Amino acid sequence: MKKILFPLMLIFVLALSACGNSSNSSSNKGNQSTSSSDKITYQSENGPVKLPAHPKRVVVLGSYAGSVLSLGVNIVGVDTWSKKNPRFQKELKNVEEVSDANVEKIMKLKPDVIIGLSNTKNVEKLKKIAPTVLFTYNKVDYLQQHIEIGKVLNKEKEAKAWVKDFKKRADEAGKEIKAKIGKDATVSVFESGTKELYVFGDAWGRGTEILYQEMKLKMPEKVKEKALKAGYYAVSQEVIPEFAGDYMIISKNSEMDNSYQNSEIYKSIPAVKKHRVYEANAEEFYFNDPITLEFQLSFFKKHFLGK
């Protein structure tokens, strides 16, 4: 996978960092049931899946490692991009790196649950190893996605409690930020690729969910026009000023082409001239799981509010 397009993939697919169908948004009672054999049934987007009520060995083949870790469930195998995430390094230090092509390696890990994205390959083979639940990115909103992971792991109560608390804290921070920068101030989120720069809508990781959905900060009109529906939009160096907000968040990968920041066009942008550009390490900014969201919220409070 190309480096910029993993999240745009993960995050397209993330293929970043969603699921289920609309029925999955209902209560745990309608989605899970505990049997005498200590099993639960999760109503996935591909039908009911019987799962262990207390999973102990989970393999994650997508953008959901942070959700699993935040719920205190053991991971034995994880995708490359999650393994590289600095936010997950401590917890994933001794966890095997795997992909959907590593069927034999996954089998040796003896997982009791496998979680992946809807474009996961070798699904039928994986199902023979362990119950497999797949999610379509952005099929439900980012917070409901965490709750769906909670249902899969029989920890819906814990997931809902975190969501409620997070929404409250993000809303409070958003009010403080608006009071400081002005209710009409705009914010845009960029990330560099191999040849182009990408600007993001309100549901594609990189902190966009917090800024636009929870804090309700304003998006520049050009970003709204081009990126809101699709989730992201590729822009050339020449038109960056058209998409730049009063404040700019840059999810920066040092391995990508960041030469645009040396151009006179970039240097002429008001947000740049006023030092209102806040850079984050892309590898720890891609996703929208609880661990990443907590980091993003702290990042925004630090840069916008000095907290």
Side-chain angles (χ1 to χ4, degrees), residues 222-241:
K222 195 72 173 181
V223 177
K224 189 182 297 183
E225 175 190 341
K226 297 293 186 180
L228 184 59
K229 186 175 180 180
Y232 60 92
Y233 184 74
V235 298
S236 63
Q237 179 175 292
E238 292 72 25
V239 300
I240 294 174

Side-chain angles (χ1 to χ4, degrees), residues 7 22 26 99 113 128 156 166 189 260 273 287 304:
S22 58
S26 60
S99 76
V113 175
K128 292 178 180 179
E156 181 181 8
F166 178 77
V189 181
Y260 69 91
K273 295 171 75 172
F287 305 137
F304 282 106

Side-chain angles (χ1 to χ4, degrees), residues 72-87:
V73 178
N74 185 50
I75 295 178
V76 294
V78 73
D79 64 279
T80 300
W81 291 90
S82 294
K83 182 76 171 177
K84 290 173 63 176
N85 189 328
R87 294 287 120 192

Side-chain angles (χ1 to χ4, degrees), residues 113-129:
V113 175
I114 298 173
I115 299 174
L117 290 159
S118 58
N119 69 332
T120 298
K121 298 176 182 178
N122 295 313
V123 175
E124 293 308 313
K125 292 180 180 179
L126 294 173
K127 286 180 179 179
K128 292 178 180 179
I129 298 172

